[in-house]
């Protein structure tokens, strides 16, 4: 009888534990800035077993994760990953966009002050974001007992993922070489951040100038961001956040949002096939292995869930493509803007700057210059002008997307990327292999277009509740947030248009 009773009590305790265990201790989101999907495999044989290969071996991989909007840029990508939404809804329409008629940096906030340095690097917040994030919903689900922290080299890559109600977002001040935040979050840095900043100050002094190709970097900020050390300080900062805030160790599910920005800095300068890019990923693999090992020891293997993705990919370099007879060319923004204004000035005498700028492949009409003119006809004239450009595949009035003769999947990307209050007026769709350059075609690269090289990104999950497997069905960047939310049993963010993807 005693044995039966003991067994029954044990069974009840197991059932009770499993009923309560519907969330992991910690959610770790990892975004690698400018990571093409194929980087998972291009360097596969050189990766160790504890980083990227561990995620592929132990986790679940969505092999065809696509960005379903344009432009594919950093601020939008980080925002869309964590909101499951698109610029037309979440409001982050670019790294810079129109706000009340003026160009505004996505995270700018004049109402807050820098915390942690004497510069303006901390005058940032998520106030321009119009929807909630995974972290916001997690905090709501636990009556704000959960902690959410964002860490990155770039301000926007820490702020947008962490969301509105985050306990902290920390980014790197390149002038004073330390992590900072803003008074949106707190009045002073936590002691663990202050302590780590002292470590950085010592380590930066040990860095040596970098020679990479034709470029030489000897300024401290450049020696940080163009070397593997830039990613290392973010990884170490993430570990400090886990320890300092006791993330995943307080009886509530917490969230840590990490973004590695330096691959983007290096890619822009040197391109997708440069040795320095190769080195970044080999070292980042080691840093991820170290991070996962730390999580195993601190939180417990199988007690946390981690997901890895990217904010966008990158085009292969124009010079490289041309060398191998692949069609490719540069769209020179510094030439196109004055050229279209010269064309329009002939048609509208006295109006010499009707286009204020071309940003993210969108033409922005200067509303002050255009006052009194027929805007509808002006838009048509701009469309017709760019249709004559041999590098432009389509030019579309963003108020008339439905009438445009473009493939349906490009039309959907335009709809999703167009925020009526914050975007430009005319969308330029360039031919494959063509992307924006400034002054001259160099060895580096960029992104922002509709093509697979910019829009095919990794999406891998590992850990708590994640089976091993892979899927080749097309999913979208907007499916990441609802998939994570469904896994941890919380509501999806307020502007989410994606759907939870089954792992089987």
């Amino acid at each position: 009888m005693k044995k039966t009773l003991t067994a029954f009590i044990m069974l009840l305790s197991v059932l009770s534990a499993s009923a309560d265990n519907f969330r992991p201790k910690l959610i770790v989101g990892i975004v690698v800035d400018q990571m093409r999907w194929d980087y998972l495999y291009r360097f596969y044989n050189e990766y160790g077993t504890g980083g990227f290969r561990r995620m592929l071996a132990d986790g679940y991989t969505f092999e065809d994760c696509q960005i379903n909007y344009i432009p594919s840029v950093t601020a939008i990508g980080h925002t869309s990953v964590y909101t499951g939404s698109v610029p037309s809804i979440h409001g982050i329409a670019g790294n810079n966009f129109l706000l009340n008629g003026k160009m505004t940096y996505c995270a700018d906030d004049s109402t807050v002050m820098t915390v942690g340095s004497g510069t303006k690097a901390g005058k940032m917040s998520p106030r321009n974001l119009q929807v909630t994030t995974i972290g916001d919903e997690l905090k709501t689900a636990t009556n704000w007992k959960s902690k959410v922290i964002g860490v990155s080299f770039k301000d926007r890559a820490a702020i947008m993922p962490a969301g509105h109600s985050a306990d902290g977002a920390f980014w790197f001040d390149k002038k004073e070489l330390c992590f900072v935040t803003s008074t949106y979050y707190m009045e002073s840095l936590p002691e663990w951040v202050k302590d780590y900043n002292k470590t950085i100050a010592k380590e930066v002094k040990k860095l040596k100038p970098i020679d990479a190709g034709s470029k030489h970097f000897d300024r401290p900020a450049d020696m940080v961001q163009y070397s593997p050390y830039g990613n290392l300080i973010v990884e170490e900062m993430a570990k400090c956040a886990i320890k300092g805030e006791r993330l995943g160790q307080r009886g509530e599910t917490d969230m840590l949002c990490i973004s590695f920005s330096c691959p983007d800095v290096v890619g822009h300068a040197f391109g997708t096939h440069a040795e320095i890019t190769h080195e970044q990923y080999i070292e980042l693999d080691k840093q991820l292995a170290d991070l996962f090992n730390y999580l195993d020891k601190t939180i417990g293997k199988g007690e946390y869930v981690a997901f890895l993705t990217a904010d966008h990919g990158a085009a292969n370099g124009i010079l490289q493509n041309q060398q191998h007879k692949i069609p490719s060319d540069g769209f020179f923004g510094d030439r196109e803007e004055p050229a279209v204004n010269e064309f329009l000035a002939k048609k509208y005498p006295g109006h010499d700057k009707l286009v204020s700028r071309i940003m993210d492949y969108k033409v922005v009409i200067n509303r002050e210059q255009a006052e009194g003119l027929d805007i509808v006809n002006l838009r048509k004239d701009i469309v017709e002008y760019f249709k004559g450009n041999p590098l432009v595949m389509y030019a579309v009035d963003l108020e008339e997307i439905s009438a445009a003769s473009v493939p349906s999947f490009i039309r959907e990307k335009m709809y999703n990327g167009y925020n009526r209050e914050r975007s430009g007026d005319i969308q330029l769709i360039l031919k494959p292999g063509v992307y924006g350059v400034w002054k001259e075609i160099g060895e580096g690269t960029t992104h922002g277009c509709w093509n697979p090289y910019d829009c095919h990104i990794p999406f891998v999950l590992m850990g708590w509740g994640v089976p091993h497997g892979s899927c080749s069905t097309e999913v979208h960047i907007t499916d990441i947030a609802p998939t994570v939310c469904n896994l941890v049993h919380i509501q999806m963010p307020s502007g989410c248009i994606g759907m939870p993807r089954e792992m089987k």
Side-chain angles (χ1 to χ4, degrees):
M1 180 71 180
K2 267 187 174 181
K3 288 182 179 180
T4 305
L5 182 60
T6 302
F8 180 67
I9 292 172
M10 288 178 66
L11 176 62
L12 285 178
S13 66
V14 169
L15 290 172
S16 175
S18 61
D20 291 338
N21 189 28
F22 55 84
R23 291 191 188 114
K25 294 179 179 179
L26 181 65
I27 305 166
V28 182
I30 302 169
V31 176
V32 182
D33 203 323
Q34 202 183 119
M35 184 176 180
R36 291 165 53 112
W37 163 81
D38 59 351
Y39 287 168
L40 283 174
Y41 302 102
R42 186 188 300 177
F43 311 125
Y44 182 88
N45 290 334
E46 297 178 73
Y47 292 148
T49 57
F52 291 118
R53 286 175 66 171
R54 174 178 170 182
M55 294 200 81
L56 294 172
D58 296 350
Y60 195 92
T61 312
F62 291 93
E63 296 286 2
D64 189 18
C65 185
Q66 299 282 341
I67 292 174
N68 54 345
Y69 54 77
I70 43 178
S72 45
V73 297
T74 296
I76 302 177
H78 282 82
T79 304
S80 296
V81 165
Y82 284 89
T83 65
S85 192
V86 290
S88 63
I89 297 171
H90 62 55
I92 304 302
N95 294 332
N96 300 277
F97 49 78
L98 294 167
L99 191 61
N100 301 320
K102 296 182 179 180
M103 288 304 301
T104 303
Y105 178 64
C106 58
D108 265 351
D109 188 345
S110 61
T111 69
V112 300
M113 301 298 291
T114 303
V115 175
S117 81
T119 73
K120 295 181 180 179
K123 293 179 70 63
M124 307 284 170
S125 84
R127 286 200 171 101
N128 292 329
L129 174 61
Q130 296 178 322
V131 301
T132 61
T133 63
I134 300 172
D136 291 326
E137 296 299 332
L138 176 65
K139 290 181 75 73
T140 302
T142 63
N143 289 319
W144 293 273
K145 294 175 183 177
S146 294
K147 284 186 178 182
V148 177
I149 300 289
V151 176
S152 180
F153 198 84
K154 292 181 181 178
D155 47 49
R156 57 187 181 271
I159 291 168
M160 299 306 168
H164 298 280
S165 59
D167 297 272
F170 303 95
W171 53 94
F172 199 69
D173 183 336
K174 291 191 288 185
K175 287 186 177 180
E176 295 202 4
L177 305 176
C178 61
F179 278 97
V180 298
T181 187
S182 83
T183 51
Y184 177 89
Y185 304 100
M186 60 194 70
E187 295 300 318
S188 63
L189 288 179
E191 289 302 316
W192 61 266
V193 180
K194 293 178 183 178
D195 290 342
Y196 185 53
N197 279 338
K198 293 175 185 176
T199 300
I200 294 172
K202 294 177 183 177
E203 293 300 318
V204 167
K205 292 179 181 179
K206 301 177 185 177
L207 295 178
K208 297 178 181 179
I210 301 168
D211 283 299
S214 60
K215 297 181 175 71
H216 177 77
F217 301 108
D218 56 7
R219 295 189 309 167
D222 288 338
M223 289 190 292
V224 170
Q225 64 184 344
Y226 286 102
S227 73
Y229 184 65
N231 291 329
L232 178 62
I233 62 171
V234 171
E235 186 233 330
E236 292 294 333
M237 180 68 171
K239 287 158 61 177
C240 288
I242 293 168
K243 182 179 180 181
E245 299 293 330
R246 298 191 67 248
L247 299 180
Q249 303 162 72
R250 306 174 306 104
E252 293 291 344
T253 299
D254 296 320
M255 185 167 192
L256 178 61
C257 310
I258 309 168
S259 177
F260 293 101
S261 304
C262 294
D264 182 71
V265 178
V266 168
H268 278 294
F270 298 98
T272 59
H273 283 70
E275 180 54 34
I276 190 172
T277 301
H278 172 210
E279 180 187 27
Q280 280 265 325
Y281 279 91
I282 300 306
E283 293 301 315
L284 179 57
D285 177 64
K286 296 174 185 175
Q287 292 151 6
L288 288 175
D290 182 68
L291 175 64
F292 295 148
N293 185 52
Y294 181 81
L295 287 166
D296 289 345
K297 292 177 179 178
T298 307
I299 310 301
K301 192 172 183 178
E303 297 293 334
Y304 63 91
V305 62
F307 68 88
L308 179 138
T309 187
D311 53 347
H312 53 75
N316 288 320
I318 294 169
L319 298 179
Q320 173 188 299
N321 283 340
Q322 291 175 345
Q323 180 184 354
H324 295 281
K325 302 179 182 179
I326 297 172
S328 194
D329 210 339
F331 181 83
F332 290 85
D334 56 320
R335 302 176 194 173
E336 295 296 339
E337 187 181 312
V340 67
N341 275 320
E342 183 180 349
F343 166 81
L344 293 171
K346 292 176 181 177
K347 196 152 192 177
Y348 301 93
H351 302 270
D352 59 354
K353 194 171 174 56
L354 284 168
V355 169
S356 62
R357 69 185 65 228
I358 299 174
M359 63 171 192
D360 296 332
Y361 308 104
K362 290 183 174 69
V363 181
V364 182
I365 293 174
N366 186 331
R367 287 298 189 276
E368 291 182 4
Q369 277 271 320
E371 189 173 356
L373 300 180
D374 186 328
I375 294 293
V376 173
N377 283 331
L378 177 58
R379 286 172 178 266
K380 288 180 180 178
D381 289 332
I382 296 172
V383 167
E384 288 305 311
Y385 171 81
F386 280 106
K387 279 183 177 180
N389 189 310
L391 300 179
V392 176
M393 192 160 58
Y394 304 105
V396 178
D397 183 340
L398 285 167
E399 289 289 336
E400 302 291 338
I401 296 174
S402 60
S405 298
V406 299
S408 58
F409 71 93
I410 293 180
R411 180 182 292 112
E412 181 184 359
K413 290 190 177 193
M414 285 194 288
Y415 273 128
N416 288 341
Y418 176 51
N419 187 289
R420 185 178 58 82
E421 297 175 332
R422 299 184 174 188
S423 297
D425 300 281
I426 309 297
Q427 179 72 59
L428 304 179
I429 304 295
L430 305 182
K431 290 182 177 178
V434 178
Y435 57 77
V437 296
W438 192 258
K439 294 187 178 179
E440 64 180 5
I441 297 173
E443 57 188 296
T445 187
T446 191
H447 48 86
C449 297
W450 61 273
N451 312 74
Y453 43 74
D454 282 357
C455 293
H456 189 185
I457 57 174
F459 177 27
V460 191
L461 300 101
M462 178 186 76
W464 186 93
V466 177
H468 171 60
S470 65
C471 170
S472 59
T473 302
E474 180 179 331
V475 302
H476 300 134
I477 190 171
T478 48
D479 297 329
I480 295 174
T483 298
V484 173
C485 289
N486 184 62
L487 182 66
V488 302
H489 303 99
I490 60 174
Q491 183 59 273
M492 62 185 69
S494 61
C496 184
I497 67 165
M499 59 186 292
R501 296 294 178 167
E502 189 175 357
M503 293 176 279
K504 60 180 181 179

